Amino acid sequence: MTWLLYGANGYTGELAAREAVARGERPILAGRDRASVERLASELELPSRVFALDDRAVVRAGLEGCSAVLHCAGPFVITSAPMVAACLDAKIHYLDITGEIAVFEGVFARHREAEAAGIALLPGVGFDVVPSDGLAARLAAALPAATSLDLAFGTLGGSWSRGTLATAIEALPATGAIRKDGRLVPVALAWETRTVEFSSPFGSRHCATIPWGDLATAWRSTRIPNLRVYTAMSPRQL
């Protein structure tokens, strides 16, 4: 299968490209920054293409001959829609690594179009939201009468990639969110705080609600109507 990795010049895109090669895959690397894309493609001995996403015909041409796209170029609230449209036109499977609620909802809204085209539209195949969604699904299977689900996560050190930071900045004017009685409800940022007992080495951590992608995906995976997502923050951040 021939597949294309768009956004290969970004931090996560480059990691995905290197992991793909390590696993014996040979994706076409693509993006809009010619120098960065071609440098990485040369190093990994992979084919490359350079195109932006602002012209639907150009994007469609850039996907020629491919069966699937792994879209790694954020902020996805801007970049997802044109890539999804081109994939529907070309009948090419679409995957991305978004964690943005609006992107999930936008992609899910095109489900019938995807079925008619015979393709999969699969957003959020990275950390956002695969491990948490898998956990949510297992909990729902074990507790089928559950009506509320709280998910919490934290990190030990590390920092945001440039793409993740750009996504966060893009979302700054927005509010937080929870899901209540099956509906997405806007709330203040860090609307609710609590102490969560994580396993070692995390231990007890202060957490606050955030508008994370699980509010879109866990609802569809579990049908639990009341959902909140928390992340660990220091008390000074709350």
Side-chain angles (χ1 to χ4, degrees):
M1 181 182 74
T2 299
W3 60 282
L4 182 140
L5 194 164
Y6 191 84
N9 52 294
Y11 175 78
T12 304
E14 180 172 338
L15 290 176
R18 294 186 183 279
E19 182 64 23
V21 170
R23 292 171 178 259
E25 294 287 327
R26 292 189 54 78
I28 299 169
L29 303 188
R32 61 183 181 182
D33 186 325
R34 180 176 298 277
S36 297
V37 170
E38 292 183 350
R39 173 196 56 78
L40 183 62
S42 176
E43 178 189 342
L44 299 179
E45 299 182 340
L46 294 174
S48 65
R49 298 177 184 177
V50 178
F51 58 94
L53 302 177
D54 49 6
D55 184 310
R56 189 161 176 168
V58 169
V59 181
R60 173 67 182 85
L63 304 183
E64 188 68 34
C66 296
S67 300
V69 170
L70 174 58
H71 183 47
C72 297
F76 295 94
V77 70
I78 296 172
T79 66
S80 173
M83 184 63 84
V84 168
C87 287
L88 285 168
D89 287 346
K91 295 181 171 55
I92 293 172
H93 301 298
Y94 169 91
L95 303 89
D96 71 29
I97 56 170
T98 191
E100 299 163 65
I101 295 173
V103 177
F104 283 115
E105 294 296 323
V107 175
F108 294 153
R110 308 198 74 168
H111 174 69
R112 289 186 179 179
E113 293 176 75
E115 282 192 322
I119 65 170
L121 299 180
L122 188 59
V125 300
F127 175 77
D128 318 333
V129 291
V130 172
S132 52
D133 202 52
L135 177 61
R138 291 197 64 176
L139 284 170
L143 301 168
T147 58
S148 297
L149 172 64
D150 292 345
L151 295 169
F153 67 92
T155 61
L156 287 174
S159 61
W160 288 7
S161 71
R162 185 173 63 180
T164 300
L165 183 59
T167 295
I169 292 171
E170 191 71 30
L172 278 177
T175 61
I178 61 171
R179 191 172 284 272
K180 183 177 181 180
D181 298 329
R183 298 182 299 106
L184 283 171
V185 177
V187 296
L189 291 170
W191 172 72
E192 183 175 89
T193 62
R194 63 183 294 182
T195 299
V196 175
E197 295 294 334
F198 292 99
S199 59
S200 179
F202 268 35
S204 179
R205 300 284 295 273
H206 295 283
C207 294
T209 50
I210 57 171
W212 209 244
D214 296 274
L215 295 172
T217 59
W219 158 243
R220 289 169 171 82
S221 299
T222 70
R223 287 301 171 183
I224 294 175
N226 300 294
L227 297 166
R228 298 176 187 179
V229 182
Y230 298 81
T231 191
M233 298 182 180
S234 73
R236 291 190 300 274
Q237 293 174 295
L238 299 177

